[in-house]
Amino acid sequence: MTGFTYYTPTKVLFGRGVEGQAAKEIRAFGGSKVLLHYGGQSAVKSGLIPAIRQQLTDAGLPFVELGGVKPNPRLSLVREGIALCRKEKVDFILAVGGGSVIDSAKAISVGFYMDTDVWDYYENQFQPVKTLPVGTVLTISAAGSEMSSSSVINNDDFTDGDLKKGHSDDLTRPKFALMNPELTFTLPKYQIACGVVDILMHTIERYFTNEKDLTVTDELAEGLMRAVIKEGRVAVENPTNYTAMANIMWAGSLSHNGLTGCGGVQDFASHQIEMELSGMYDVAHGAGLAVIFPAWATYVMDHDVGRFVQFAVNVWGVNPDGKTEKQTAVEGIERCKTYFRSIGMPINLAELGIPNLDRLEELAVKCTFFGKRTIGNFVKLGKEEIMDIYRIAAEQK
């Protein structure tokens, strides 16, 4: 086990009706003029945005609005938000939505105090010393951005597929997260399933580490993954099941606030490889991860078969009796794929909507930041290895 710092300053209010405390929490954290940031029209039509507008008005909190956040949030809207916040002298951002809205809000909060373009932050050329405070009203259980230090933005300046990059800094952790599972009841089943995969992957990416003797962290991670697997299937089948949706929502936060990685060195190669797919093809992030993770696992399994055996037995319930370690490990990966398919996720690139493989090298080059880095920590991966994983993702069944 390595030494670690565990920092989770976000105040969580969880349960029915907690979104009604947004104005109170904004005041508590010093906000006096608010940017109300959200996605499309669903939050407006549901009545959530009108209710928050009224709440802010009743509390005497002036606000301006910026909607229009899309999945895989765009840099162009972030720049628009920075300009708006500066013009209106905003001192607090309220993000109402899922990970894309929250990530966009985080990017605006960083860029507000920058003298250069906010993309420099995502290029790792800028270290923030101050950010605008962000609060969240969560409407999608998936990204865990409501308690995490990370955000991911698509640079849509590129004319031939966006360039998607993420960055982390503790200054961007939200001040509060208002989490009412009932706000997720109207989500399409496909979107819920994408969220389930994303939540699982945030723990899986930390679970596959080269550090040993992580007994407590492993037990936490394995228990969380088993819970998501169980409740995720219920949630996809019945999106208005409060218990299932509540458990998924809470698991999403715990999976990405650092808890399940304490003492280990996280990998996140699958995320990096998938980000190029969603950047270029605008596919759903969770769906892309359902395709990429089994391919990554197949490619790197021999590096530490024992770790994959532990994953197979403790998470997927594989019985190792009479099997070799490799057979047990492979069965774990197959059960993972079977589960993804059972909740409606794609398993290969064609099912993801990417039948043409003529841009694999371009994807791999972008993933290495044009040859400037390798990815992953469990196994270091360069351009050729990444291309091999894309090929496995194209062929797997």
Side-chain angles (χ1 to χ4, degrees), residues 266-342:
Q266 62 190 19
D267 186 73
F268 276 86
S270 294
H271 264 73
Q272 298 295 332
I273 295 169
E274 193 289 322
M275 279 167 57
E276 301 309 323
L277 293 178
S278 55
M280 185 176 292
Y281 296 104
D282 205 23
V283 299
H285 179 54
L289 287 171
V291 172
I292 293 299
F293 169 67
W296 172 88
T298 299
Y299 190 80
V300 307
M301 178 179 57
D302 288 338
H303 171 71
D304 187 350
V305 173
R307 192 65 170 168
F308 279 93
V309 168
Q310 183 177 330
F311 180 63
V313 173
N314 293 352
V315 176
W316 294 105
V318 175
N319 183 349
D321 293 347
K323 302 183 181 77
T324 66
E325 282 198 330
K326 189 158 187 176
Q327 287 172 334
T328 301
V330 169
E331 186 173 340
I333 297 169
E334 288 302 313
R335 288 199 185 189
C336 183
K337 284 196 293 185
T338 299
Y339 177 77
F340 288 163
R341 190 177 290 285
S342 76

Side-chain angles (χ1 to χ4, degrees), residues 14 97-99 102 138-146 179-185 187 191-200 202 228 235 244-253:
F14 193 103
I102 299 169
L138 188 63
T139 64
I140 302 172
S141 305
S145 193
E146 66 278 357
M179 301 168 62
N180 176 3
E182 291 179 327
L183 298 181
T184 67
F185 283 4
L187 292 173
Q191 194 168 9
I192 295 171
C194 286
V196 168
V197 175
D198 200 8
I199 292 165
L200 276 173
H202 285 150
V228 173
M245 297 299 271
N247 277 292
I248 290 298
M249 178 173 271
W250 186 225
S253 298

Side-chain angles (χ1 to χ4, degrees), residues 8 17 31 43 57 77 80 106 116 154 163 174 177 181 202-203 209 223 243 260 267 282 294 298 344 364 369 374 389:
T8 53
T57 299
L77 190 69
E80 184 180 338
K106 289 178 177 180
T116 59
N154 266 24
L163 183 62
H202 285 150
T203 289
T209 180
T243 297
T260 58
D267 186 73
D282 205 23
T298 299
F369 290 178
T374 58
I389 291 169

Side-chain angles (χ1 to χ4, degrees), residues 309-387:
V309 168
Q310 183 177 330
F311 180 63
V313 173
N314 293 352
V315 176
W316 294 105
V318 175
N319 183 349
D321 293 347
K323 302 183 181 77
T324 66
E325 282 198 330
K326 189 158 187 176
Q327 287 172 334
T328 301
V330 169
E331 186 173 340
I333 297 169
E334 288 302 313
R335 288 199 185 189
C336 183
K337 284 196 293 185
T338 299
Y339 177 77
F340 288 163
R341 190 177 290 285
S342 76
I343 60 172
M345 288 287 94
I347 297 302
N348 55 53
L349 292 180
E351 292 177 358
L352 190 60
I354 308 173
N356 195 329
L357 308 181
D358 59 354
R359 301 183 73 179
L360 295 188
E361 183 171 8
E362 181 184 353
L363 287 164
V365 168
K366 284 184 175 180
C367 193
T368 64
F369 290 178
F370 303 93
K372 295 178 182 177
R373 68 165 184 171
T374 58
I375 65 168
N377 288 301
F378 188 68
V379 175
K380 295 288 185 181
L381 304 172
K383 186 189 83 169
E384 297 303 322
E385 293 82 8
I386 294 167
M387 288 180 66

Side-chain angles (χ1 to χ4, degrees), residues 1-4 210-218 261-265:
M1 176 183 286
T2 65
F4 62 88
N210 291 312
E211 282 63 46
K212 307 299 182 184
D213 303 318
L214 300 176
T215 305
V216 172
T217 299
D218 279 355
C262 289
V265 177

Side-chain angles (χ1 to χ4, degrees), residues 16-45:
R16 293 180 173 91
V18 293
E19 67 276 14
Q21 300 186 51
K24 176 183 175 183
E25 293 302 321
I26 291 169
R27 286 283 195 204
F29 285 98
S32 61
K33 187 166 187 180
V34 179
L35 172 66
L36 178 56
H37 198 35
Y38 54 94
Q41 289 300 305
S42 59
V44 177
K45 292 177 181 178

